[in-house]
Amino acid sequence: MQLQELKQRLAAEAKAADICSEWYDFILKASSKERLITLFVKGQDFCSENDYPSPELRAEFADIRARFGVFCADDLIAAKSPRSVIAFDQAAGTVEYSNFDAGQVWARDNSEITITARNNAFVVVSIDGAAKVNVTASDNARVSVILHGGECQTQATEQARIKTTDKRK
């Protein structure tokens, strides 16, 4: 699909989900697919709440999404020290943080992720849908888990701390 058509279809789906006019304009004015996927990462709250974009349009980013930490369909995740990871559909794999890394992981739908944090790493994990996440923290790592859905198993050793906030209804 050509960039112009992709922008039009993304904007139409976003407008149907009541996106604000500022972000609607950002989509229409995007100069590349890379800019569009950056908007997806930055607007993850809207995307998660509205299951945006549709799987058909997500597929248009298959060639670049892993570079931006976005994993969907049946993607295999193997990431070390990423700033962010967004996993949905059936994505599965591992994410590792160490030293003074700071990162954020979003797991939703039926994704399955194992997260390891060690040394002085700090990680925020948001879980939604039927996602399954396993978090292991060691040394002086800090992990904050926010459960909107799904399930999470945690294990902390040494001085590591894992804080879980359950926001499921």
Side-chain angles (χ1 to χ4, degrees):
M1 183 180 308
Q2 295 296 324
L3 179 62
Q4 193 60 32
E5 181 185 356
L6 180 60
K7 292 190 308 184
Q8 292 294 329
R9 292 190 53 195
L10 286 166
E13 279 188 13
K15 189 168 197 146
D18 291 327
I19 197 165
C20 69
S21 60
E22 181 181 21
W23 278 76
Y24 179 78
D25 290 340
F26 287 159
I27 294 168
L28 290 175
K29 293 178 182 175
S31 58
S32 65
K33 282 173 65 173
E34 288 80 1
R35 175 66 179 144
L36 288 169
I37 204 161
T38 300
L39 291 172
F40 172 78
V41 172
K42 289 182 177 182
Q44 193 48 223
D45 54 342
F46 172 83
C47 296
S48 183
E49 288 172 16
N50 295 286
D51 196 25
Y52 172 84
S54 65
E56 177 187 357
L57 293 179
R58 288 179 204 158
E60 292 295 320
F61 296 92
D63 56 334
I64 64 168
R65 65 180 178 235
R67 285 193 336 227
F68 292 86
V70 177
F71 300 91
C72 64
D74 293 319
D75 290 346
L76 180 62
I77 304 165
K80 290 187 179 185
S81 305
R83 181 175 174 190
S84 67
V85 168
I86 302 167
F88 50 102
D89 296 336
Q90 305 289 348
T94 61
V95 183
E96 298 178 15
Y97 294 93
S98 61
N99 300 317
F100 288 91
D101 293 339
Q104 187 161 11
V105 178
W106 288 274
R108 62 185 227 211
D109 300 329
N110 293 305
S111 59
E112 295 186 19
I113 304 176
T114 298
I115 301 168
T116 304
R118 51 174 90 70
N119 305 119
N120 292 293
F122 177 73
V123 184
V124 176
V125 182
S126 296
I127 304 169
D128 206 348
K132 295 179 183 175
V133 178
N134 186 344
V135 178
T136 303
S138 61
D139 302 315
N140 201 34
R142 302 289 184 260
V143 180
S144 178
V145 176
I146 304 163
L147 282 167
H148 297 280
E151 57 187 74
C152 183
Q153 295 183 350
T154 61
Q155 179 182 4
T157 60
E158 300 166 40
Q159 302 294 324
R161 282 192 237 152
I162 300 174
K163 177 186 176 188
T164 302
T165 304
D166 193 339
K167 294 191 171 191
R168 294 178 285 197
K169 296 178 183 175

